[in-house]
Amino acid sequence: MRLFQSWAVGALYLLTAGIAFVVKRGLMRHCPQCRHLLSNHARRRDGSFHD
């Protein structure tokens, strides 16, 4: 029984990580050049990228 319980907890961890990955990749906007999240980029006052 403990083996099944450990396996189920491990599967849920992997499922949760997979959902987080899909949300990050699919729903959040990324930079077209470097693929980082746009919210992490430094911007100038005019809205252009600082880096």
Side-chain angles (χ1 to χ4, degrees), residues 30-47:
H30 292 80
C31 174
Q33 293 177 351
C34 66
R35 302 287 183 216
H36 287 128
L37 290 175
L38 280 179
S39 60
N40 292 341
H41 275 285
R43 295 179 187 251
R44 295 185 186 102
R45 287 185 177 206
D46 65 355

Side-chain angles (χ1 to χ4, degrees), residues 9-51:
V9 168
L12 287 175
Y13 281 144
L14 288 175
L15 183 64
T16 303
I19 290 171
F21 179 77
V22 168
V23 167
K24 182 183 178 294
R25 284 289 174 194
L27 299 179
M28 299 178 84
R29 295 187 55 177
H30 292 80
C31 174
Q33 293 177 351
C34 66
R35 302 287 183 216
H36 287 128
L37 290 175
L38 280 179
S39 60
N40 292 341
H41 275 285
R43 295 179 187 251
R44 295 185 186 102
R45 287 185 177 206
D46 65 355
S48 62
F49 294 122
H50 191 53
D51 50 2

